[in-house]
Amino acid sequence: MIEYRNIRIALLGAGSVGSQVAGLLIEHRDELAARVGTGLDLVGIAVRDPQRPRDPRIPEALYTTDAESLILGADIVIELMGGLEPARELLLLAMNSGADVITANKALLATHGPELFAAAEQVGAQLYYEAAVGGAIPIIRPLRDSLAGDRVERILGIVNGTTNYILDRMHSQGDSVQEALAEAQRLGYAEADPTADVEGFDAAQKAAILASLAFHTAVPLEAVHREGILGITLEQVAAAQRSGFVIKLLAVCERLTDAERGIDGVSARGHPALVPAAHPLASVHGANNAVFLQAEAAGSLMFYGAGAGGLETASAVLGDVVSAARRHVVGGPGVAESTHADLPALPIAMVTTRYQIGMEVLDRPGVLAQIALVLSDHGVSVETVQQTAAGAEAAAPAATRVIGTHAATEAALAATVHALADSEVVSAVTSVLRVEGVS
Ligand code: NDP
Ligand code: HSE
């Protein structure tokens, strides 16, 4: 039997995820070698500050600040530094010098994915990124391989653990968004600067990655509609609970076809939405992630688990390491990106969805008829109406009304909300949330 030489692995970054990847490569060395068919040598780890106290499992001699030299001697380069630069440059250098690359960097992939995939294809390198969406959850490989013969229709993903924790706490503990964020930071779920999480940037990046894979189309980040969760109020949470929903920050990826409207494309977006309490995504609690997917033949599938955490995310990275290393040993097809469909990424205005619109209204006869008229003028039909009387402190007889609409175009729904806000019977539109996961 031919003995293959050991595979040389360079690691860029030894933070939360990188230190766990290095630790597992060292601790599980024999088992990984048996699975791959040859040894995996961790030849070095690039960091910014080699003097910083580090994981005791890892020999100090492995640390370097010279990422370029480390890359030039490697068969596989794992990028776990985060950020756009120098991560992008270093991955390009690695592929151009003959290495396969692995990354968990969703910001990099969502921003520079097409450039990186093109470089990989040009030089025949492989680019793996299982950890970039959903942490430990296998979702990239299922989309790319297991479902490669099916047609994905729709993805609803809870892909950001920090915001799921915050929204879950608002529902279960009655915390305000700021109180729940402070708790998420105290527990180490949220970053010191949680902007990417709470403003929806992280979910939008993951939506771009999932939509690109699912629909065989490069979906640029700029085409992903994004809304964060900082505007979500306890009143909205209470109203959601009263009407049998929970609020989740979702990455929504849809294949949109409507011959009558001349629509044939994809939509990717990240925003808070109402999900029916009986939907599988409603029972995703805490900082967990889940991706609910509908495909033409497979039907509904759900992938669930830890969306972050150093050790959990390292599991997904190690899976990529074994795949990449096996290919070095036994050859076989790689994991080329498939963008053959090349569909347009459609703006949110072309999406068809449902809304729940909360408003303060005058509590007098004929108000409901006037509201219904505004909706019908915009081609939107009412599905549900709920009314709660305002407190005794209200100056005039007033009520809080929540209108649930049937599906309509976003453009029509947005115009409806504007018209309601201008209507003399509506004092204020207090809440506008999309409804997802209703068949
Ligand atoms: P950390 O901030 O914990 O670690 C980053 C590491 O990269 C540090 O070791 C740092 O060095 C090193 N580094 C940063 N910039 C440079 C540079 N210019 N040159 C050399 N080394 C550098 O990040 P995480 O481990 O949390 O995240 C890594 C990646 O994984 C990110 O892309 C992130 O989005 C992704 N990810 C993270 C998850 C998580 O749960 N943490 C979950 C899923 C994905 P030093 O130690 O000297 O500062
Ligand atoms: N900040 C991200 C989250 C980490 O909260 O889910 C995983 O990408």
Side-chain angles (χ1 to χ4, degrees):
M1 182 178 147
I2 302 169
E3 281 219 8
Y4 196 87
R5 67 171 173 79
N6 280 6
I7 290 172
R8 297 166 59 82
I9 297 179
L11 181 57
L12 312 180
S16 306
V17 185
S19 60
Q20 295 295 341
V21 167
L24 292 175
L25 280 169
I26 291 166
E27 282 179 346
H28 297 178
R29 190 184 154 79
D30 293 345
E31 201 173 331
L32 289 169
R35 289 183 194 174
V36 169
T38 192
L40 303 180
D41 290 344
L42 178 58
V43 294
I45 307 174
V47 291
R48 275 177 300 214
D49 174 9
Q51 307 310 322
R52 181 174 289 185
R54 303 279 174 185
D55 189 318
R57 293 171 296 177
I58 303 162
E60 278 177 27
L62 287 180
Y63 294 109
T64 175
T65 52
D66 187 356
E68 282 89 350
S69 302
L70 181 60
I71 285 170
L72 294 178
D75 301 306
I76 296 173
V77 173
I78 309 172
E79 184 276 308
L80 295 169
M81 298 189 310
L84 299 184
E85 297 291 356
R88 183 192 67 94
E89 276 177 10
L90 293 174
L91 284 185
L92 289 173
L93 174 67
M95 291 191 281
N96 285 326
S97 59
D100 285 335
V101 295
I102 295 166
T103 181
N105 192 333
K106 63 261 169 173
L108 178 66
L109 289 169
T111 311
H112 295 300
E115 181 189 9
L116 293 168
F117 292 121
E121 192 170 347
Q122 199 178 6
V123 299
Q126 301 298 309
L127 169 51
Y128 299 82
Y129 54 99
E130 183 60 69
V133 181
I137 303 172
I139 183 62
I140 301 300
R141 213 170 260 107
L143 273 174
R144 193 162 49 191
D145 296 340
S146 321
L147 291 162
D150 206 340
R151 285 182 180 159
V152 176
E153 293 165 341
R154 199 151 197 270
I155 295 174
L156 298 179
I158 294 174
V159 291
N160 184 269
T162 304
T163 49
N164 200 56
Y165 176 83
I166 292 170
L167 293 171
D168 196 31
R169 224 177 136 91
M170 292 175 77
H171 277 274
S172 63
Q173 309 291 317
D175 282 359
S176 70
V177 73
Q178 292 298 344
E179 286 165 344
L181 170 58
E183 187 60 10
Q185 285 177 305
R186 195 183 69 74
L187 292 172
Y189 294 142
E191 309 285 324
D193 176 3
T195 311
D197 296 313
V198 296
E199 297 284 4
F201 290 101
D202 181 77
Q205 289 161 357
K206 291 167 179 169
I209 294 171
L210 291 176
S212 300
L213 259 180
F215 305 125
H216 306 276
T217 284
V219 176
L221 188 54
E222 309 81 72
V224 181
H225 176 82
R226 173 193 60 81
E227 293 169 31
I229 64 156
L230 288 179
I232 300 294
T233 63
L234 283 174
E235 289 70 30
Q236 286 177 309
V237 168
Q241 284 171 329
R242 276 196 300 277
S243 47
F245 289 94
V246 292
I247 302 175
K248 296 287 186 189
L249 180 72
L250 296 182
V252 184
C253 310
E254 286 179 312
R255 178 77 174 88
L256 299 178
T257 50
D258 183 342
E260 254 177 49
R261 291 166 60 212
I263 287 178
D264 185 13
V266 302
S267 161
R269 49 195 205 266
H271 56 70
L274 292 164
V275 175
H279 192 282
L281 287 174
S283 53
V284 177
H285 297 295
N288 283 309
N289 281 195
V291 178
F292 183 84
L293 181 155
Q294 287 163 295
E296 189 177 287
S300 298
L301 305 170
M302 185 152 116
F303 302 81
Y304 168 86
L311 186 58
E312 293 86 344
T313 307
S315 162
V317 175
L318 262 290
D320 282 348
V321 171
V322 170
S323 295
R326 274 189 187 143
R327 220 181 65 86
H328 272 264
V329 176
V330 294
V335 289
E337 284 307 287
S338 153
T339 52
H340 67 87
D342 199 19
L343 294 161
L346 301 172
I348 183 96
M350 297 178 86
V351 169
T352 300
T353 184
R354 294 160 193 256
Y355 275 12
Q356 278 215 358
I357 307 166
M359 58 199 115
E360 300 292 335
V361 298
L362 301 179
D363 196 6
R364 66 172 198 219
V367 167
L368 180 57
Q370 274 181 267
I371 290 172
L373 190 62
V374 171
L375 271 84
S376 76
D377 280 351
H378 291 86
V380 176
S381 89
V382 175
E383 187 180 30
T384 57
V385 180
Q386 281 181 33
Q387 178 162 317
T388 333
E393 69 282 357
T400 300
R401 190 159 282 169
V402 178
I403 303 284
T405 73
H406 281 292
T409 64
E410 271 276 332
L413 286 163
T416 303
V417 171
H418 274 109
L420 285 171
D422 288 345
S423 160
E424 59 173 19
V425 296
V426 176
S427 326
V429 173
T430 53
S431 167
V432 180
L433 284 170
R434 294 183 189 86
V435 180
E436 301 288 349
V438 178
S439 44

